[in-house]
Amino acid sequence: MVKNIRKLIEQVAKEKDLPERVVEYALKNAIAIAIKKDKRIRDNLDIEFTDEGIKVYIVRRKGKSKERFPLDISTEDVNRIAAYAAKEEFLSELERAERERGFLEYKELEGEIVTGIVRKVHENGDILVDLGKVEAVLPRREQIPGETYHVGDRLKALLIEVKKQHGEPRLILSRTHPLFLKRLLETEIPEVAEKEIEIKAVARIPGERAKVAVYAKDMKMDPVGIVVGLRGSRIQPISEELHGEKIDVVRWTEDEEEFIRRALSPAKPTAIRLIPEEERAEVAVPQDQLSLAIGKRGTNVKLAHRLTGWHIDVMSEEDFERLTELRESESGE
């Protein structure tokens, strides 16, 4: 019997392209389930394949440890039930083992880009995506506003979470996460993939606008020009992948004042005052650039804040001067 089981494990492992230990684990589970059903046992069972035959043990927990007791069952019964389990229970256990392997494979891909096919669009807007071996969900909250999806569409997204729910693998995708944009840049820009250019920070308002801070150790390199490409040839396909999201690329610097200045592009600040204890910066721009610096619905200043980590108060040059004079008069009292 055991020799036949070993042959079965080898054969199935080869056919299913699974490790033998995974197939053996699935078969042991199938036999344990079948014995529990046949003998109406509620306790957990351990199954062992030995030269003497199949050994069955009842497993009971005692505090933090567990104890095993041989189950009083005849060899004939074990062989009969095992033969039945190999036919009836084994396939479902094997499917579960294959799903488990899929879970472990995709767990390693957490934080990476995956590509799949849209299989279903739920009424609540969530999308079921077929990744090949497993299915994933692109929740509505992780979709770029304005995008529409249909069954059969090919979809690219960031795998942000792989977890188990009721024993089944559950994969969550995102197209709105800042890391999705970073991974796209790493995929599409060779100099980023080869680490000649480093992505220091990414900030997004999905579907509207994003800001990316880039840095090159080689001071002769122009990281902004390389990432953007000639007439935007490199950044444009990435923007199109993100439903037309406008992407500003700025050069990162350790000089925080200068970094804030660059982050507020296309506006051109004329003065910046840092208040480190509050992690706040007061920024002066010409009156005619005030709306440009703030951006539509505050987009530009919000993204500059997320990119730099500084709270940014944008004001006209006149208001900046008045505030400076007020502070000086207060300090002089």
Side-chain angles (χ1 to χ4, degrees), residues 50-65:
T50 70
D51 293 337
E52 291 78 36
I54 300 170
K55 301 293 183 183
V56 185
Y57 298 91
I58 293 174
V59 181
R60 288 181 183 145
R61 291 207 166 272
K62 194 172 182 181
K64 291 184 179 179
S65 61

Side-chain angles (χ1 to χ4, degrees), residues 172-213:
I172 308 296
L173 305 176
S174 173
R175 284 178 54 80
T176 61
H177 200 288
L179 186 56
F180 183 44
L181 173 51
K182 185 181 181 185
R183 291 286 183 255
L184 285 172
L185 290 163
E186 289 170 350
T187 304
E188 302 297 329
I189 313 293
E191 292 83 355
V192 177
E194 291 159 15
K195 296 184 169 44
E196 292 175 24
I197 293 173
E198 186 181 345
I199 308 295
K200 284 287 190 178
V202 177
R204 290 180 68 193
I205 296 177
E208 289 187 45
R209 196 168 181 181
K211 286 184 184 284
V212 179

Side-chain angles (χ1 to χ4, degrees), residues 1 31 35 38-39 41 52-56 70-83:
M1 180 70 180
I31 293 170
I35 291 174
D38 190 81
K39 300 297 179 184
I41 297 169
E52 291 78 36
I54 300 170
K55 301 293 183 183
V56 185
L71 179 66
D72 185 15
I73 183 171
S74 69
T75 303
E76 290 76 17
D77 256 5
V78 172
N79 289 345
R80 174 183 60 81
I81 296 167

Side-chain angles (χ1 to χ4, degrees), residues 209 290-301:
R209 196 168 181 181
L290 197 55
S291 59
L292 185 66
I294 294 169
K296 191 177 179 182
R297 296 190 297 276
T299 301
N300 199 53
V301 75

Side-chain angles (χ1 to χ4, degrees), residues 293-333:
I294 294 169
K296 191 177 179 182
R297 296 190 297 276
T299 301
N300 199 53
V301 75
K302 275 181 196 171
L303 287 171
H305 156 60
R306 292 179 193 173
L307 196 72
T308 63
W310 287 76
H311 295 279
I312 301 171
D313 295 333
V314 177
M315 60 193 80
S316 66
E317 291 171 312
E318 291 78 7
D319 286 344
F320 188 88
E321 274 303 314
R322 287 193 199 100
L323 192 57
T324 303
E325 289 169 6
L326 180 63
R327 288 222 177 93
E328 285 173 354
S329 64
E330 285 177 349
S331 63
E333 286 177 5

Side-chain angles (χ1 to χ4, degrees), residues 5 44 105 119 134 147 270 297 318 328:
I5 284 174
N44 290 328
E105 282 180 3
R119 289 296 177 220
V134 292
E147 279 191 326
T270 53
R297 296 190 297 276
E318 291 78 7
E328 285 173 354

Side-chain angles (χ1 to χ4, degrees), residues 124-143:
N124 65 356
D126 290 356
I127 293 169
L128 188 68
V129 182
D130 184 353
L131 298 180
K133 293 175 183 174
V134 292
E135 290 180 332
V137 176
L138 177 64
R140 188 170 186 173
R141 67 179 182 275
E142 300 294 343
Q143 298 169 25

